[in-house]
């Protein structure tokens, strides 16, 4: 009798403790979110003299870690550097860029927690995302496409509309929703990053990878047996992302991008990163105003 | 809470896959682990080395690598989904730890139990099954309990190979809702739904066996 | 007809020569007591008879089968040769009754009602019918040993080996165990080989006494002449030491 009581007490104590921990975490998160709201990004940037950018480390052509230097390199990284410099000129202060590697899944949380000031991270502008973050004007005209094995016979998304076909996507991208729209019978499997998706495609775990053409071109340059097919399913231009209600910061970034498009800096970066990609005419990406 | 309601069916699907993978791996690893534990205590040098190599290999390689091996390499020969690959890897990985727990349990049983049984005419297998293992499991229960709870948590490895489990669905919900924090709290609670009763049951079993001893 | 026969048997533990060129013949139905100082090899010798210890050389023929022949099925021999240990070795996870019924069920496939009847008879015989449902942990040493004897008898063995069955017992428990063993010895059909320090028991029941030292058989004599007039000086010395105890 005594023992049974003690045991029941132990169980109840365990449950209460678990609930207390969970509620505590919720509270902590609410507090963090609340405090973060009052922060103005541009003010913070001016005060610290630097802009902390989130960039990718696993995406060829946009943000890929150079194992020798430990620095990410790519179009996104160069854009972030150039925009930082330009904003510095605009506000008349010396600004330096600094970089934090973000994953597709973590980037928005990091913005919300003010661990980073902005993201240049192959991020498609969507209405859902725009409710939660502020986007700059588009800085790259991406669109969702397909990467398949050259001898697979798959020419377009219609060839994938079959229950026996699996399309590989990456967690946190909008690709899965679009595949459901264009090939509703196909299965989709989400993997952690593009390297895993590419390995899984090679292992036959799926018949295609679907994501932005810009990324697929990067994968195709490294894997000559594979090609980008089917044109673009959607228009999904990339924008730089910031925490919600950061109009002053976004205005500065938009102004900087406009200037870069006019003075040729933007086209230089396009040529630097997309000039050598097979199957892609980089002149299509140039801006002439 | 609206996040929870909106994605309830997704979470439930993940929960189902996690539960299924855990049950498969639990049963599988208990059987495999026991077989390799017995191999390690036989007189046959070959059986002992096979058992030993098996345990060392699967205990000392990260679970993720075993999982990717099945998902990316073995799947080229034998078609298997991420769920299957992950569950197999989880089974093999856990079985190595269970083999160690069961082996320690067997070694804690005095040699006289086996001698008595063999002298009584029982075969090695009969003696193991009826006399040694029931006593060894009793000794090993706290350590087996730890392995089982680790197994449930380790099943999140399935997320890396599209295994449709809780963590996989959580990653997707987190990425689509942009509310990473709340999502993972919900996911954590779902894991507790499996692990808390499991820990409680193991404690209960421990108490019960102590009383009988 | 001989039940157990050693022919030039050698046994080593690594470099240690545990049994030196053993030659010994025990007939069916004989009761033989094996004595000697500790470390003399008598336990090793008795454990070779049911294959708990393997021999390195020679022939050891038990019930017509050579244990040194790899083709011999040791499990078959163990059905017919029971053993009682110094530390009882009862199954700790089984009741007294289950300890007795297990091997007949698993090894002989004895029918359940018959199995239980025989087991209860044996419990009756060793005076522990009221302990049938006790776990070993709830039995005294002497009770455990009597259950262990009943367990061996349940297999209806041709031969029974006793390896110092009373050495681990408190003095007041020894009598009950020896009484049971005496009863068994009266049944002339069973071959008994007993390692013991109980000289009174040896005198009363043994047909023959074998004296061992340093892994060798030094004397193999009839019980009467061994105790009255041992041939070996070491046996003489051993007897005087044991009797002075």
């Amino acid at each position: 009798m005594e023992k049974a009581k003690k045991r029941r007490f132990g169980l109840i104590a365990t449950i209460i403790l678990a609930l207390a921990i969970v509620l505590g975490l919720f509270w902590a998160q609410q507090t963090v979110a609340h405090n973060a709201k009052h922060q103005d990004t541009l003010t913070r940037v001016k005060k610290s003299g630097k802009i902390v950018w989130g960039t990718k480390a696993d995406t060829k052509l946009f943000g890929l870690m150079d194992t020798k230097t430990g620095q990410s390199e790519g179009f996104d990284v160069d854009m972030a550097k150039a925009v930082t410099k330009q904003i510095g000129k605009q506000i008349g202060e010396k600004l330096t860029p600094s970089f934090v590697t973000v994953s597709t899944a973590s980037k928005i949380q990091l913005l919300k927690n003010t661990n980073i000031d902005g993201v240049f991270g192959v991020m498609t502008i969507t209405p859902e995302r725009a409710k939660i973050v502020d986007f700059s004007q588009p800085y790259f005209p991406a669109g969702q496409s397909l990467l398949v094995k050259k001898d697979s016979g798959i020419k377009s998304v219609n060839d994938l509309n079959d229950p026996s076909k699996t399309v590989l996507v990456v967690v946190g991208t909008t690709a899965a929703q679009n595949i459901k729209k264009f090939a509703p019978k196909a299965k989709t499997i989400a993997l952690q990053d593009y390297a895993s998706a590419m390995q899984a495609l090679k292992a036959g775990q799926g018949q295609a990878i679907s994501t932005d053409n810009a990324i697929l071109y990067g994968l195709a340059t490294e894997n000559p047996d594979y090609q980008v097919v089917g044109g673009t399913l959607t228009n999904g231009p990339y924008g730089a992302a910031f925490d919600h209600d950061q109009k002053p910061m976004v205005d500065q970034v938009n102004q900087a991008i406009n200037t870069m498009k006019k003075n040729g800096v933007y086209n230089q970066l396009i040529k630097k990163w997309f000039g050598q990609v097979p199957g892609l005419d980089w002149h299509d990406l140039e801006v002439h105003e | 809470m609206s996040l929870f309601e909106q994605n309830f069916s997704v979470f439930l699907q993940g929960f189902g896959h996690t539960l299924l993978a855990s049950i498969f791996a639990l049963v599988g690893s208990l059987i495999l682990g026991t077989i390799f534990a017995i191999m390690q205590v036989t007189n046959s040098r070959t059986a002992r080395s096979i058992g030993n190599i098996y345990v060392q290999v699967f205990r000392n390689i990260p679970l993720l690598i075993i999982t990717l091996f099945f998902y990316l390499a073995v799947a080229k020969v034998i078609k298997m989904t991420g769920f299957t690959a992950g569950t197999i890897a989880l089974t093999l990985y856990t079985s190595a730890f269970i083999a160690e727990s069961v082996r320690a349990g067997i070694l804690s049983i005095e040699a006289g139990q086996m001698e008595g049984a063999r002298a009584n005419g029982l075969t090695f297998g009969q003696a193991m099954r009826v006399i040694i293992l029931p006593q060894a499991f009793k000794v090993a229960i706290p350590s087996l309990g730890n392995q089982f709870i680790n197994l449930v948590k380790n099943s999140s490895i399935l997320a890396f190979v599209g295994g449709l489990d809780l963590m996989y669905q959580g990653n997707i919900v987190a990425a689509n809702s942009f509310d990473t924090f709340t999502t993972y709290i919900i996911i954590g609670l779902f894991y507790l739904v499996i692990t808390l009763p499991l820990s409680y049951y193991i404690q209960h079993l421990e108490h019960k066996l102590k009383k009988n001893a | 007809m001989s039940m157990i026969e050693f022919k030039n048997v050698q046994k080593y533990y690594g470099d240690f020569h545990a049994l030196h060129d053993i030659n010994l013949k025990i007939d069916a139905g004989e009761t033989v007591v094996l004595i000697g100082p500790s470390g003399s090899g008598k336990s090793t010798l008795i454990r070779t008879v049911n294959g708990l210890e393997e021999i390195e050389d020679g022939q050891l023929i038990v019930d017509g089968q050579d244990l040194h022949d790899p083709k011999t099925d040791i499990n078959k021999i163990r059905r017919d040769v029971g053993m009682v240990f110094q530390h009882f070795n009862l199954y700790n996870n089984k009741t007294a009754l289950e300890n007795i019924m297990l091997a007949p069920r698993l090894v002989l496939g004895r029918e359940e009602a018959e199995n239980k009847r025989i087991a209860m008879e044996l419990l009756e015989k060793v005076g522990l019918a009221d302990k049938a449902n006790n776990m070993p942990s709830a039995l005294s040493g002497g009770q455990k040993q009597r259950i262990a004897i009943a367990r061996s008898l349940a297999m209806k063995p041709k031969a029974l080996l006793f390896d110092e069955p009373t050495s681990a017992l408190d003095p007041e428990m020894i009598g009950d165990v020896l009484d049971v063993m005496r009863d068994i010895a009266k049944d002339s059909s069973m071959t008994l080989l007993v390692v013991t320090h109980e000289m009174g028991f040896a005198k009363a029941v043994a047909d023959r006494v074998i004296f061992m030292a340093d892994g060798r058989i030094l004397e193999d004599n009839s019980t009467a002449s061994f105790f009255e007039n041992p041939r070996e000086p070491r046996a003489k010395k051993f007897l005087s030491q044991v009797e002075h105890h």
Side-chain angles (χ1 to χ4, degrees), chain A residues 7 11 14 18 22 25-26 29 105 108-109 128-129 132 171-172 177 188-192 199-200 202-205, chain B residues 71-72 75-76 79-81 159-162 164 168 171-172 175 177-182 185 189 192 196 200 204:
Chain A
R7 214 181 295 148
L11 179 68
T14 314
V22 168
L25 287 170
F26 263 116
Q29 194 245 356
I108 289 179
Q109 196 72 41
E128 293 86 29
R129 285 175 177 166
I132 290 153
V171 177
Q177 282 115 295
T188 58
I189 288 288
L191 291 153
Q192 296 295 305
Q199 289 301 320
K202 284 181 175 170
Q205 294 289 359
Chain B
Y71 186 64
L72 298 176
K76 281 185 186 174
K79 273 262 161 250
M80 63 174 84
T81 63
F160 283 87
V161 290
L164 311 178
Y168 174 86
N171 287 341
I172 290 174
S177 68
F178 314 113
D179 193 348
T180 318
F181 201 87
T182 313
I185 293 234
L189 285 174
L192 280 180
L196 269 187
Y200 182 68
H204 172 74

Side-chain angles (χ1 to χ4, degrees), chain B residues 148-164:
Chain B
F148 289 155
I149 288 162
N150 280 338
L151 179 150
V152 174
K153 294 183 290 178
N154 285 343
S155 71
S156 59
I157 202 75
L158 266 72
F160 283 87
V161 290
L164 311 178

Side-chain angles (χ1 to χ4, degrees), chain A residues 79 82-83 85-87 89-90 255-269 287-289:
Chain A
M79 278 299 287
V83 165
K85 200 171 149 194
Q86 186 59 37
I87 294 176
K89 277 184 200 161
Q90 287 160 197
Q255 195 189 328
I257 292 174
N258 279 336
T259 311
M260 286 159 58
K261 282 182 175 170
K262 278 187 193 122
N263 67 12
V265 171
Y266 180 84
N267 284 349
Q268 276 170 24
L269 292 180
V287 180
H288 301 284
E289 291 182 26

Side-chain angles (χ1 to χ4, degrees), chain C residues 77-113:
Chain C
I77 287 172
R78 283 171 178 160
R79 288 179 197 184
D80 294 325
V81 180
M83 188 170 213
V84 175
F85 298 86
Q86 183 179 355
H87 295 289
F88 335 122
N89 298 350
L90 285 186
Y91 308 137
N92 290 330
N93 57 334
K94 302 280 178 193
T95 63
L97 186 65
E98 266 299 308
N99 261 276
I100 300 170
M101 290 171 67
L102 187 71
R105 182 190 302 136
L106 288 183
V107 180
L108 306 177
R110 188 177 288 160
E111 189 268 321
E112 199 60 17

Side-chain angles (χ1 to χ4, degrees), chain C residues 225-242:
Chain C
S225 59
F226 179 80
F227 283 108
E228 278 155 33
N229 191 18
R231 291 191 293 260
E232 273 290 316
R234 288 193 66 174
K236 217 175 271 178
K237 196 177 157 212
F238 177 76
L239 279 179
S240 72
Q241 280 170 340
V242 173

Side-chain angles (χ1 to χ4, degrees), chain B residues 110-113 115-124 126 129-132 134-135 138 212-213, chain C residues 47 50 52 74-75 78-79 81-83 85 89-94 99 102-103 106-107 151 155:
Chain B
E110 44 184 314
Q113 294 289 302
E115 277 193 351
R118 296 307 304 276
N120 211 190
L122 272 64
T123 62
F124 177 83
Q126 288 171 328
R129 184 165 54 81
V130 185
I131 304 302
I132 307 298
Q135 297 184 56
K138 246 187 214 185
N212 286 350
Chain C
R47 286 163 60 86
N50 67 349
L52 287 182
I74 188 69
N75 291 319
R78 283 171 178 160
R79 288 179 197 184
V81 180
M83 188 170 213
F85 298 86
N89 298 350
L90 285 186
Y91 308 137
N92 290 330
N93 57 334
K94 302 280 178 193
N99 261 276
L102 187 71
L106 288 183
V107 180
R151 177 174 75 176
M155 294 294 283

Side-chain angles (χ1 to χ4, degrees), chain C:
Chain C
M1 206 204 99
S2 75
M3 179 67 202
I4 301 164
E5 188 172 2
F6 288 75
K7 288 181 184 169
N8 307 316
V9 167
Q10 315 282 352
K11 163 81 191 163
Y12 299 86
Y13 292 112
D15 289 337
F16 178 66
H17 202 167
L19 293 178
H20 274 275
D21 199 26
I22 301 292
N23 285 287
L24 175 64
K25 209 167 152 181
I26 297 170
D27 285 336
E30 249 191 315
T31 298
V32 175
V33 167
L34 192 53
I35 63 174
S38 61
S40 58
K42 52 194 194 304
S43 266
T44 305
L45 186 143
I46 201 171
R47 286 163 60 86
T48 60
V49 177
N50 67 349
L52 287 182
E53 301 288 345
E54 281 177 29
I55 61 171
E56 269 71 48
D57 200 10
Q59 274 183 299
L60 173 47
I61 295 154
V62 178
D63 198 20
Q65 304 231 51
D66 183 4
L67 290 199
H68 200 205
D69 182 348
K71 275 176 284 188
T72 300
D73 180 4
I74 188 69
N75 291 319
K76 220 168 183 175
I77 287 172
R78 283 171 178 160
R79 288 179 197 184
D80 294 325
V81 180
M83 188 170 213
V84 175
F85 298 86
Q86 183 179 355
H87 295 289
F88 335 122
N89 298 350
L90 285 186
Y91 308 137
N92 290 330
N93 57 334
K94 302 280 178 193
T95 63
L97 186 65
E98 266 299 308
N99 261 276
I100 300 170
M101 290 171 67
L102 187 71
R105 182 190 302 136
L106 288 183
V107 180
L108 306 177
R110 188 177 288 160
E111 189 268 321
E112 199 60 17
E114 168 84 345
N115 194 12
K116 186 158 185 188
R117 189 183 59 75
I118 293 173
M120 283 311 296
E121 264 176 32
L122 286 166
L123 279 171
E124 218 47 83
K125 187 173 174 180
V126 300
L128 291 170
D130 57 327
K131 305 286 183 195
N133 294 316
N134 282 30
M135 297 302 281
S137 54
L139 297 171
S140 74
Q143 290 169 338
K144 282 184 197 174
Q145 195 60 298
R146 284 185 278 156
I147 301 288
I149 293 170
R151 177 174 75 176
S152 296
L153 291 175
M155 294 294 283
K156 298 196 188 295
K158 294 179 184 164
L160 204 45
L161 310 169
F162 288 88
D163 186 8
E164 303 205 29
T166 56
S167 301
L169 298 180
D170 291 337
E172 71 270 21
M173 308 273 184
I174 294 176
D176 289 340
V177 172
L178 290 181
D179 285 346
V180 172
M181 290 169 66
R182 250 182 226 116
D183 283 348
I184 299 166
K186 274 187 220 149
D187 173 6
S188 60
S189 71
M190 206 181 293
T191 312
L192 300 186
L193 180 56
V194 184
V195 174
T196 185
H197 295 289
E198 295 295 330
M199 292 306 141
F201 173 80
K203 273 180 200 163
V205 303
D207 299 315
R208 261 160 76 201
V209 176
I210 292 170
F211 178 77
M212 282 185 78
D214 302 330
R216 291 183 172 85
I217 291 177
L218 296 188
E219 182 163 350
D220 180 350
N221 209 338
S222 74
T223 308
S225 59
F226 179 80
F227 283 108
E228 278 155 33
N229 191 18
R231 291 191 293 260
E232 273 290 316
R234 288 193 66 174
K236 217 175 271 178
K237 196 177 157 212
F238 177 76
L239 279 179
S240 72
Q241 280 170 340
V242 173
E243 271 156 18
H244 281 284
H245 248 310

